[in-house]
Amino acid sequence: MIVMQESGVSLNQIHPMKGSLLEELLELHTAAEIEDWFWTNVVYPMIKIFKDRQEAQYHNISEQIIDLVQHHYDTDLTLEECASRLHYNANYLSSVFRKETNYSFSEYLSMYRFKMAKKWLSDSEMAIKDIATKLRYNNPQNFIRSFRKQEGITPGQYREKKRSG
């Protein structure tokens, strides 16, 4: 019961709307019954509560990272910077983010930047070199090469295709 108190788990969470735990326990006669009762009524419910909490925390952390990417994709955003802003270890964040999204941080950041590039190519007159700069490419050729590798066509061809289609 000390573990429950220290972790903020209430008795009602593991034993909702049932009679007194003590009364139930006193009705048991063998060590096997008592052991089974503890596993069923205390240990397994607590494990489930801790697992649910962990999943909620992972989801929350991943949402915060996604929010940082969506607001700072056009900066030199790194996992280490996210870790510093969110007050977590970068390795922990990396592990949590991959478990939650199935992508590494850098893969997600790259995908989001490509999504923005495609949006700008379709919906704006922004020059390709300006898009490359805004997405933190050192030079436009690197952006064009990456774009062609991912999309099979150059950014200019993509823009033309979207405009004519």
Side-chain angles (χ1 to χ4, degrees), residues 59-74:
H59 183 74
N60 182 276
I61 289 169
S62 295
E63 289 292 319
Q64 289 180 63
I65 294 170
I66 288 169
D67 188 61
L68 286 171
V69 167
Q70 291 176 352
H71 287 91
H72 302 284
Y73 66 90
D74 57 350

Side-chain angles (χ1 to χ4, degrees), residues 120 125-135 140:
W120 292 329
E125 296 301 320
M126 194 184 310
I128 290 170
K129 69 178 180 57
D130 294 336
I131 292 173
T133 300
K134 200 162 171 64
L135 296 178

Side-chain angles (χ1 to χ4, degrees), residues 134-149:
K134 200 162 171 64
L135 296 178
R136 315 312 288 171
Y137 281 86
N138 293 331
N139 67 57
Q141 282 311 114
N142 287 346
F143 169 66
I144 293 168
R145 215 177 349 268
S146 290
F147 195 93
R148 183 188 292 134
K149 185 177 179 185

Side-chain angles (χ1 to χ4, degrees), residues 25 28-39:
L25 201 49
L28 304 176
H29 303 293
T30 68
E33 286 178 323
I34 293 170
E35 182 181 350
D36 182 58
W37 183 90
F38 264 105
W39 280 102

